[in-house]
Amino acid sequence: MVWFHLKKNSYWLVLLLLIVHINITPSIASDHIFLYKESKYDFENDDINIIDINSFDINISGTLPFLKNTLLLNQKEFLKKFGKPPKKLVEYSEMDDANMDCYVYQGMKAWFMNKSLESLELTSSSYHLIFFNKKSIKVGDNIETIVRTYPKSWKSKRDNQVFVGLKNNQITIDINLIFEYDSTTRKITEIHFGY
């Protein structure tokens, strides 16, 4: 009788899960990413495009996407993915009143605080954003790619910067994807993730 009771309750639980959409996903690795940071610009969600952090990854050109988005990697996982950097600096963050580790690669910089990724900057075509629809964006691409892909963000651009909001499972997070471009050449000069 007890076994029947458990089976019957399990049946209802499965039925409930099928009827009511419950999204059970792992939480973001860097809890600090949800903390409010003062941004240089204020945007309303309606002013910019917002993309899911799980729809792309940051890779070395010619490599396949990682299972976990680079922005969600802790310091140890990041080093495993990209290797030991040629240069490591310690920089002070006035906003956080704390020191950060800065890993300097050829064409990429990454800042970590308390083993969590705080910011990332791509400055060469050696690294690119690869989307899971097989499209990619890299430094040196024509800005028209951004105009077509993120029209609301393009319309709200500021100082040769295009801001795209990021979300993780329906939660907008306090870090932006920022494309900088040269208005003369119309080429992307930098891609960074920051506040």
Side-chain angles (χ1 to χ4, degrees):
M1 190 66 163
V2 172
W3 173 248
F4 174 75
H5 182 70
L6 287 175
K7 284 177 75 177
K8 184 177 178 184
N9 284 343
S10 297
Y11 171 77
W12 287 111
L13 178 62
V14 169
L15 187 60
L16 176 66
L17 289 173
L18 290 174
I19 294 171
V20 179
H21 177 69
I22 299 176
N23 192 0
I24 303 172
T25 57
S27 65
I28 192 165
S30 307
D31 291 336
H32 75 281
I33 209 165
F34 290 108
L35 296 177
Y36 174 76
K37 300 264 184 167
E38 190 173 317
S39 177
K40 182 177 173 184
Y41 300 108
D42 290 323
F43 292 101
E44 295 294 326
N45 284 348
D46 293 340
D47 293 343
I48 62 173
N49 294 93
I50 297 175
I51 61 172
D52 195 295
I53 201 166
N54 297 303
S55 67
F56 69 92
D57 194 14
I58 298 137
N59 282 21
I60 299 170
S61 294
T63 62
L64 296 173
F66 208 59
L67 292 176
K68 187 176 182 183
N69 186 296
T70 299
L71 298 178
L72 303 177
L73 299 178
N74 64 35
Q75 202 163 356
K76 186 177 177 182
E77 293 168 327
F78 186 90
L79 289 172
K80 185 176 180 182
K81 179 176 181 176
F82 292 104
K84 184 179 176 186
K87 186 188 239 181
K88 180 183 174 192
L89 307 170
V90 175
E91 295 182 0
Y92 179 72
S93 168
E94 288 183 26
M95 188 183 324
D96 297 299
D97 191 26
N99 286 330
M100 297 190 300
D101 291 330
C102 176
Y103 294 147
V104 182
Y105 295 85
Q106 184 72 29
M108 178 173 70
K109 285 184 181 179
W111 289 267
F112 288 86
M113 187 181 325
N114 300 322
K115 302 192 185 316
S116 295
L117 186 64
E118 281 288 313
S119 187
L120 184 80
E121 175 182 288
L122 307 176
T123 56
S124 88
S125 60
S126 299
Y127 299 90
H128 64 270
L129 304 181
I130 185 164
F131 294 84
F132 294 111
N133 64 3
K134 299 193 169 108
K135 302 225 185 258
S136 69
I137 299 174
K138 65 185 179 311
V139 169
D141 285 352
N142 192 294
I143 196 65
E144 291 304 317
T145 303
I146 306 306
V147 174
R148 285 189 311 275
T149 309
Y150 307 113
K152 287 195 316 188
S153 292
W154 177 255
K155 189 176 177 182
S156 299
K157 69 185 177 299
R158 309 234 177 110
D159 301 329
N160 292 350
Q161 295 182 329
V162 180
F163 292 77
V164 177
L166 298 175
K167 67 179 179 177
N168 187 23
N169 297 322
Q170 308 304 320
I171 300 168
T172 303
I173 54 180
D174 290 332
I175 194 168
N176 292 299
L177 165 57
I178 305 163
F179 296 97
E180 291 192 27
Y181 66 97
D182 183 304
S183 58
T184 305
T185 64
R186 309 251 326 140
K187 301 283 185 190
I188 298 170
T189 56
E190 185 176 306
I191 301 169
H192 61 268
F193 297 85
Y195 301 97

